[in-house]
Amino acid sequence: MIILNKYISKNYTNLLNISKKITSKKFPDYEDLLHEVICDLYTKDSDLIYGLINRKELAYYIVRMMVNQYHSSTSPFFNKYKK
């Protein structure tokens, strides 16, 4: 998904800053959280990703994924890094 690669490259710093806010700047949690969400994005249906990008909703979708992953005790992030 080339369009996703471009989106992430262009917005990485902003997404990392959002991740820092979600995790209260806990290193390395904020990096791990963002990377876990990015990996999860690549498993999503490409039509979903293209639609989110075209509607300019991908940032919101990523933020929701980060919040859910960070605060849910059943999330892949929690099971991998916080358990």
Side-chain angles (χ1 to χ4, degrees):
M1 283 197 267
I2 296 171
I3 193 166
L4 182 57
N5 292 345
K6 288 181 182 179
Y7 183 89
I8 291 169
S9 295
K10 181 179 177 184
N11 296 288
Y12 185 81
T13 302
N14 185 43
L15 293 171
L16 189 60
N17 287 333
I18 293 168
S19 183
K20 284 180 184 178
K21 289 178 183 177
I22 291 168
T23 63
S24 302
K25 297 183 180 179
K26 292 180 183 169
F27 182 81
D29 280 2
Y30 63 86
E31 287 181 338
D32 293 335
L33 176 61
L34 180 57
H35 294 164
E36 190 69 32
V37 168
I38 288 170
C39 289
D40 194 21
L41 283 172
Y42 283 100
T43 68
K44 303 293 183 196
D45 181 57
S46 60
D47 290 336
L48 170 70
I49 299 299
Y50 291 131
L52 290 168
I53 290 171
N54 290 334
R55 291 187 310 271
K56 299 182 183 197
E57 296 174 349
L58 186 57
Y60 173 78
Y61 187 79
I62 292 171
V63 170
R64 288 302 312 150
M65 287 178 70
M66 285 193 287
V67 169
N68 290 342
Q69 291 252 356
Y70 192 70
H71 293 291
S72 172
S73 62
T74 60
S75 73
F77 172 80
F78 184 87
N79 288 325
K80 192 183 266 185
Y81 298 103
K82 291 179 80 176
K83 203 170 199 185

